[in-house]
DNA sequence: TTGTAGGCGTTATCAG
DNA sequence: CTGATAACGCCTACAA
């Protein structure tokens, strides 16, 4: 493992000159510079990250922290973030679980984008309070150096349900996700608001965002003699489970029961009937967030953060 | 940002004593230790990762490098790896693109698991040659400290096609992925081998692993007056595209044309007909690989690496 | 244009 | 049991 020392020695220059050359400083003679670079390449020299980070107090890494790797939604956001960071010469580091808080506490990242409800407010606030910019997605958190980008869950669902009411539906049910989920509650709020304006009541079914829970909800409905005409599901996965169960029970969708979800996951287009849903352009969202983070890092001026773009995607299920 | 200095000063002890206490050494009096820990907590002290890494020559991070974040297959592998690493007190760092080689070159990770054909052999070999353990998945690479875990693509496809021949099929086509893909070629080898043993010929269709390319292939088949009785697709996504096109053209699956794929992605169970495929237990694979890496890191004895478990999953498409 | 030297925050060796 | 002190590898005033 060659160090800058070895490079300098072999080039017959001092360590500092080597450092200047390797860091593309102007104050070094072209000839010496070229010689140093050639030798660095020959020795396969790369600076030790830990040493550089310690000295410069920056790592060149941006942490992206997710709840788990299994979810289908994050991948596009990550890809959008990755592309933007790479264009700005920053490394993306995606992590999850205990590793996330370690990286944060030990300052192995210069900034962070958080998509993980498990990370405690305390850890996040402490990290940001040291001067590191922090972005929280789909979560409420205020503090110094903390920025957030939140999907307008409430507004989107509200608009959608209003349209469905215009279309003639008047007997709704809400298939809920876990009640501790930020998303879920806002979606429910929008749902209720729309109905309330038309003095419509609704049925509430508890689920937990999984396909399985949707399936269970479907079985539940099958047992009832009277079923809602429209089930709005807090996310697509539960909607898919619900449809699966209803279909097996001989219920026609959307003729007997109409269904819609939220998230626009890939699966939506491949089930029968294709699922109507509300979708976010995740890749674009990732890019916007990463760009906002870049702005903050580069000139410390928090530009106004644009909301992610959401839209209703009409397909066959309602 | 408090340093160990601050903790020591406030506790009225030397830096070294503080370090001992914080690192759970035995040679420090319980009372002083407790005091130091209390003050560390009070000051919200956490060691600077860069400094510690520089000194100890380890980072506690394991890099997992993927080709991109968009793919549907990796997530379970990642989750398996994550769980195992977390149980061993190591941080998982997932990265992609240029960031991956940076992290490798600058030695910001103690070991790596590589699932990214874009990372050059050169970078990988150089990294491993410095004494870092490296795992490559689904790729051929030999060298010091390099281990690999490869799916038996060839054997699995071979077994599957043999069974299909037993079942009576005798008119096959192969829908290929990109010919530079390691996976694809081995799958094709197994396919050819099985047919050859029965002196059967086959049709070859070029694709690139995407749903779109499968769809194109389907359109192509629709134009032909004579169609193969069985299309084996190099992966599930192309199979799904193929099925979509054939269905739209009025072809019945599996009655007119039988189809199968490889990977067992989530989508398979939600399309009509459900896709027969060959699947790997990805979560289990991730765990095995991570465990093998742990063994290597802990006692430097390369245990025999178990192959990932693959099996044929019969559903409706053939 | 190049070299000297100090220090980033830790850990770890060696004395006390 | 505790305390000086020397590294780890690099960057960067400042001096030459």
């Amino acid at each position: 493992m060659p160090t800058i020392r070895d490079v300098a020695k072999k080039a017959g220059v001092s360590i500092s000159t080597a450092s200047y050359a390797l860091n593309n400083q102007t104050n070094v003679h072209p000839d010496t510079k070229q010689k140093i670079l050639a030798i660095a390449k020959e020795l396969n020299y790369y600076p030790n990250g830990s040493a550089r980070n310690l000295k410069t107090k920056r790592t060149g890494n941006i942490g992206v922290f997710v709840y788990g790797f299994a979810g289908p939604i994050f991948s596009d956001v990550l890809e959008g973030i990755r592309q933007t960071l790479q264009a700005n010469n920053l490394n993306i580091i995606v992590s999850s679980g205990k590793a996330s808080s370690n990286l944060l506490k030990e300052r192995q990242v210069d900034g962070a984008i958080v998509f993980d409800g498990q990370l405690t407010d305390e850890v996040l606030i402490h990290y940001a309070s040291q001067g590191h910019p922090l972005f929280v997605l789909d979560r409420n958190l205020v503090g110094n150096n903390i920025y957030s980008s939140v999907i307008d869950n409430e507004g989107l669902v509200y608009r959608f349900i209003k349209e469905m009411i215009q279309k003639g539906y008047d007997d709704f049910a809400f298939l809920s996700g876990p009640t501790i989920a930020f998303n879920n509650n806002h979606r429910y709020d929008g749902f209720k608001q729309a109905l309330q304006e038309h003095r419509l009541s609704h049925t509430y079914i508890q689920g937990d965002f999984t396909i399985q829970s949707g399936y269970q909800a479907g079985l539940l409905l099958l047992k009832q003699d009277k079923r809602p005409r429209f089930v709005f599901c807090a996310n697509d996965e539960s909607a898919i489970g619900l449809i699966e169960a209803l279909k097996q029970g001989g219920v026609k969708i959307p003729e007997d029961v109409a269904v819609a979800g939220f998230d626009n996951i890939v699966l939506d287009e491949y089930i029968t009937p294709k699922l109507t849903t509300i979708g976010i352009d995740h890749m674009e969202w990732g890019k916007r967030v990463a760009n906002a983070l870049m702005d903050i890092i580069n000139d410390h001026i928090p530009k106004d953060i644009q909301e992610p773009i959401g839209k209703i995607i009409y397909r066959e299920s309602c």
Side-chain angles (χ1 to χ4, degrees), chain A residues 225-236:
Chain A
D225 37 322
K226 198 191 157 305
R227 277 186 282 276
R229 182 67 189 82
F230 194 111
V231 183
F232 181 77
C233 307
N235 78 338
D236 285 349

Side-chain angles (χ1 to χ4, degrees), chain A residues 113-124:
Chain A
I113 298 173
V114 175
F115 214 142
D116 178 0
Q118 299 289 98
L119 274 173
T120 64
D121 289 358
E122 191 199 341
V123 169
L124 298 180

Side-chain angles (χ1 to χ4, degrees), chain A residues 240-262:
Chain A
I240 286 166
L242 178 80
I243 288 176
E244 186 80 4
L246 292 180
K247 271 165 59 180
Q248 287 176 12
V251 174
K252 293 227 175 340
I253 299 168
E255 293 81 358
D256 299 335
V257 176
V259 178
F262 199 118

Side-chain angles (χ1 to χ4, degrees), chain A residues 173-181 184-185 188 203-218 220 231-235 237-239 241-242:
Chain A
F174 183 79
L175 171 51
S176 174
T179 50
I180 48 158
N184 177 72
N185 300 341
Y188 192 30
T203 318
Y204 176 91
I205 315 168
Q206 184 65 53
D208 64 6
F209 273 165
T210 62
I211 292 183
Q212 289 74 21
S213 81
Y215 192 85
Q216 292 305 321
L220 203 78
V231 183
F232 181 77
C233 307
N235 78 338
E237 274 149 302
S238 56
L242 178 80

Side-chain angles (χ1 to χ4, degrees), chain A residues 31 53 73-74 104 107 162 173 197 245 255 275 284 303 308:
Chain A
D31 291 352
N53 298 348
I73 307 176
F74 297 119
L104 243 21
R107 289 143 277 165
K162 288 287 268 189
E197 290 182 6
E255 293 81 358
L275 186 65
E284 184 60 29
K303 302 268 172 69

Side-chain angles (χ1 to χ4, degrees), chain A residues 120-122 124-125 134 136 139-143 146-148:
Chain A
T120 64
D121 289 358
E122 191 199 341
L124 298 180
I125 290 173
L134 178 69
V136 291
R139 168 176 183 158
N140 269 333
L141 187 66
V142 293
I146 298 181
Y147 308 89
S148 67

Side-chain angles (χ1 to χ4, degrees), chain A residues 158 160-174 188-204 226 228-230:
Chain A
Y158 171 81
F160 176 66
I161 296 295
K162 288 287 268 189
E163 289 187 25
M164 291 302 105
I165 294 172
Q166 303 296 341
K167 211 171 156 184
Y169 291 110
D170 62 358
D171 181 12
F172 288 87
F174 183 79
Y188 192 30
D189 288 343
F191 175 86
K192 283 185 295 191
Q193 169 96 33
L195 293 191
Q196 196 178 324
E197 290 182 6
H198 293 261
R199 302 188 192 290
L200 293 171
S201 67
H202 70 276
T203 318
Y204 176 91
K226 198 191 157 305
R229 182 67 189 82
F230 194 111

